Structure formats: C-alpha cells, structure tokens
Amino acid sequence: MSAPLPPGQRDIGFFPRFGVPDFAAFIPQAGEVSLQLGGNLSRPTTLRLADLQKLPRREVQADFHCVATWSYRGLRWEGWSFKDFYDTFVAPLAPTGATEVYLELRAQDGYRVSLLLADALTPEVLLADRLNGEPLSTEHGAPLRLVAPALYGYKNVKHLSAISLRLNYEVSLVERNTRAHPRGRVAFEERGRGLPAWLYRILYRALFRPILWRYQRIARAGAKKVPST
Ligand SMILES: Nc1nc2c(c(=O)[nH]1)N[C@H]1C(S)=C(S)[C@@H](COP(=O)(O)O)O[C@H]1N2
Ligand SMILES: [Mo]
C-alpha cells in the first residue's frame, strides 16, 4: 500500500506537461547538456555531459507534487545526485561560511526560480536525464532537469541551463508573478508567499484545469521567442 499523499494533494493518474503558461510555447529541443555555473562563485564555468558523467549514477523513485494540487505517483528518475554534483563542481568555487545560501536555477525557456541550498543537498535530489527507463522527453525537461521530490513542482526546473549561487534570496519575475514561496516544501504546504496554505489550496484546486487548458492551448500555438525574465 502506498503512503498517503501530502496535505491538499490528489492523485490525478496522469503526468501532464505542465507549468507556468508564459513558458508553454517554447519547447526546447533535446540536445547537448550545457550548464553554466555562476553568481557568487570565484569564477564562472560551463559544464557538459562529459563532466557530469564523472559522477556515479543514481536512481530515485518518487511522487511528483505540483502546487496546483495535482500529484502523480511512482516516477523513477535517473541521473546524478545533486549533492555529488554540488560537492564536486560548485563547492570548490563557493565562498565559505555563508549561512542562507540560495541557488537560482534558470532554464532554456526563460523560467527562473531559486531554492535554498540546504533543500537541494538532501539525498533524493537529482539532476535527471532519464525517466522510467527512457531518456527524458522534451515534455518533461530534456536534456536535464532538477528533481526535488520534497519541493513543489515549480522548483523542479526543466531544461536546466544555469545555476547561480546567491547569498540572499532574490525574487525573480516568475516567482513574483506566481507568488512562489522561497522554499516550497510540500510537507509544510509552502505553496506561496503571504496567504495561508488553505487559501492557496482552494485557489489552486479551482485553477488547475483552467491553467492546464491555457497551458496546452499556448503549447499548441508553438514556439515563439523565449520570454525575457
Ligand atoms: N523550464 C521550466 N521548468 C518548469 C516549469 C516551466 O514552466 N518551465 N514549470 C514548473 C512547474 S509549475 C511544474 S508543476 C513542473 C511540471 O513538470 P512536468 O511538465 O514534467 O509535469 O515543472 C516545473 N518546471
Ligand atoms: Mo506546478
């Protein structure tokens, strides 16, 4: 028997391509991994697939929870442990002694959010390139996406292109517009900033279908230019 879902979530039985409709029109083509590291580091650097391949591969089985109250159970992700990646490529360039460190993640479609470094270093967080035994599809984030099952979907950035280390939380335009929570932990219902969790729950439950329809309509209209964020 599977464990109960986190508060306010329900199993919809399918795994939609989903997200912030502003970004739906742009579906990046799966291609070579190119990951820029920057922000508060001693020097910026760009990693490729060959760099990631130096790390051991990991598999994580997890449920996926979107803030819009839908969940999909039992995904099997494969890739590299985010902690291994961080310890190998980022920590040597990072300042020591900082306490509230955030990582700003950017994607090829212009999407951009931050998460608390400590939340990214837990054992189940991956940089994933495979899902359910197959290469990750463009719909679900190829060539590389973050998988952080304890955080809402909006922190699980698809088509990851850059990671910047920040010594303070800097709210991006996407996060401001969506009232994203700085941490976004599912277990604590950190759905958004300012309003109580129960209110976000009601609003998002009502908005899930309309957001999905809008997202799919924009996606069908096809790729335009990447929104600037
Ligand atoms: N690049 C990018 N990543 C993104 C988004 C997006 O619009 N663009 N949407 C986020 C949101 S809100 C959710 S719920 C998940 C959905 O992932 P899926 O499309 O694989 O279901 O992607 C997240 N990562
Ligand atoms: Mo989401």
Side-chain angles (χ1 to χ4, degrees):
M1 234 186 64
S2 45
L5 285 170
Q9 294 299 115
R10 56 184 167 184
D11 184 355
I12 55 167
F14 66 104
F15 186 36
R17 175 176 180 247
F18 194 78
V20 178
D22 286 354
F23 301 96
F26 184 78
I27 308 179
Q29 292 310 300
E32 164 63 280
V33 169
S34 171
L35 192 57
Q36 279 173 262
L37 305 182
N40 214 300
L41 298 181
S42 54
R43 61 178 167 79
T45 177
T46 303
L47 300 180
R48 305 263 165 201
L49 184 63
D51 301 306
L52 296 176
Q53 281 171 337
K54 293 174 190 151
L55 305 173
R57 288 192 64 83
R58 283 282 174 76
E59 189 180 306
V60 163
Q61 177 114 16
D63 300 342
F64 190 93
H65 309 293
C66 169
V67 72
T69 72
W70 64 266
S71 293
Y72 185 74
R73 311 202 75 158
L75 293 165
R76 190 162 53 80
W77 302 98
E78 291 167 68
W80 300 277
S81 142
F82 192 86
K83 184 170 189 319
D84 288 349
F85 155 82
Y86 185 86
D87 289 348
T88 307
F89 298 112
V90 188
L93 308 175
T96 50
T99 45
E100 281 265 302
V101 177
Y102 278 83
L103 297 175
E104 187 195 68
L105 309 186
R106 271 174 287 150
Q108 291 173 31
D109 58 1
Y111 189 79
R112 178 194 286 248
V113 295
S114 291
L115 63 162
L116 188 69
L117 174 62
D119 291 337
L121 296 182
T122 58
E124 75 286 5
V125 179
L126 292 189
L127 287 174
D129 66 344
R130 293 178 67 81
L131 171 59
N132 292 336
E134 291 179 13
L136 195 58
S137 63
T138 46
E139 286 75 13
H140 291 300
L144 194 68
R145 89 176 289 171
L146 187 87
V147 172
L151 306 182
Y152 284 115
Y154 63 79
K155 302 287 190 186
N156 289 240
V157 175
K158 298 181 277 189
H159 327 296
L160 189 61
S161 61
I163 300 179
S164 299
L165 192 123
R166 305 268 188 237
L167 300 181
N168 291 299
Y169 178 69
E170 290 173 32
V171 94
S172 70
L173 193 62
V174 187
E175 289 170 293
R176 180 165 296 126
N177 291 344
T178 59
R179 304 185 64 96
H181 191 282
R183 294 187 71 175
R185 289 172 298 175
V186 176
F188 298 94
E189 271 206 273
E190 291 171 339
R191 293 183 190 273
R193 261 177 303 117
L195 305 173
W198 63 263
L199 187 52
Y200 277 114
R201 212 195 265 194
I202 292 171
L203 290 173
Y204 275 126
R205 183 153 292 176
L207 286 174
F208 164 54
R209 289 285 165 184
I211 295 173
L212 183 62
W213 291 326
R214 174 136 184 271
Y215 190 91
Q216 290 173 340
R217 185 167 45 76
I218 292 172
R220 268 197 307 275
K224 295 181 198 76
K225 65 177 178 43
V226 179
S228 59
T229 47

